[in-house]
């Protein structure tokens, strides 16, 4: 069993979720309901799956939840790019989010690989 609150990847995923929620609050119209809801769910899924997997009884289960978190990070990357291209998130802010998502993906792959 892992203490997820001590994991840097969980902390950064949590902070990223806060940033995404704040960004999505400014979405309007169809984008607010279509992309806004989806982008928030994907962001929240990353630290949530790390936390849930850490409470499972085996490293195998933890690895499975890390894989789910990684999938959510890839999904979030696409959604941030869509939001940027639709003008919902300014270019510089979107690039900062994408950079953080890329780092989270690396951290998740590394943790998953090193969890045996």
């Amino acid at each position: 069993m892992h203490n997820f609150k001590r994991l840097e990847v969980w902390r950064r995923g949590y902070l990223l979720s806060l940033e995404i929620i704040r960004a999505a609050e400014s979405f309007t119209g169809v984008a607010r309901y279509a992309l806004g809801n989806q982008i928030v769910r994907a962001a929240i899924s990353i630290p949530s799956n790390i936390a849930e997997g850490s409470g499972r009884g085996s490293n195998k289960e933890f690895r499975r939840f890390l894989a789910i978190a990684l999938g959510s990070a890839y999904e979030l990357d696409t959604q941030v790019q869509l939001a940027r291209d639709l003008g919902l998130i300014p270019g510089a802010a979107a690039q900062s989010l994408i950079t953080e998502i890329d780092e989270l993906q690396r951290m998740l792959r590394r943790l998953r690989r090193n969890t045996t």
Side-chain angles (χ1 to χ4, degrees), residues 18-32:
L18 293 173
E19 288 183 56
I20 292 292
I21 291 167
R22 288 182 187 116
E25 286 177 340
S26 68
F27 293 7
T28 59
V30 173
R32 178 179 197 110

Side-chain angles (χ1 to χ4, degrees), residues 2-76:
H2 302 268
N3 182 343
F4 68 91
K5 291 179 184 176
R6 291 186 180 169
L7 295 172
E8 179 69 13
V9 69
W10 176 84
R11 187 185 68 75
R12 289 177 71 165
Y14 182 87
L15 293 174
L16 176 64
S17 294
L18 293 173
E19 288 183 56
I20 292 292
I21 291 167
R22 288 182 187 116
E25 286 177 340
S26 68
F27 293 7
T28 59
V30 173
R32 178 179 197 110
Y33 299 102
L35 184 56
N37 289 336
Q38 191 64 28
I39 200 170
V40 167
R41 280 196 303 272
I44 291 171
S45 177
I46 297 168
S48 296
N49 276 291
I50 296 167
E52 184 174 354
S54 74
R56 298 295 173 132
S58 71
N59 281 343
K60 181 179 178 182
E61 281 290 295
F62 185 45
R63 285 174 44 83
R64 185 171 73 84
F65 279 88
L66 291 175
I68 294 168
L70 181 59
S72 294
Y74 284 115
E75 180 182 0
L76 182 60

Side-chain angles (χ1 to χ4, degrees), residues 19 24 29-30 41 51 62 64 86 89 98 104 109-111:
E19 288 183 56
V30 173
R41 280 196 303 272
F62 185 45
R64 185 171 73 84
L86 290 168
I89 299 177
I98 290 168
L104 277 172
R109 284 192 302 267
R110 193 175 320 119
L111 180 57

Side-chain angles (χ1 to χ4, degrees), residues 21-22 43 95 113-114:
I21 291 167
R22 288 182 187 116
Q95 188 54 53
R113 186 175 47 246
N114 293 331

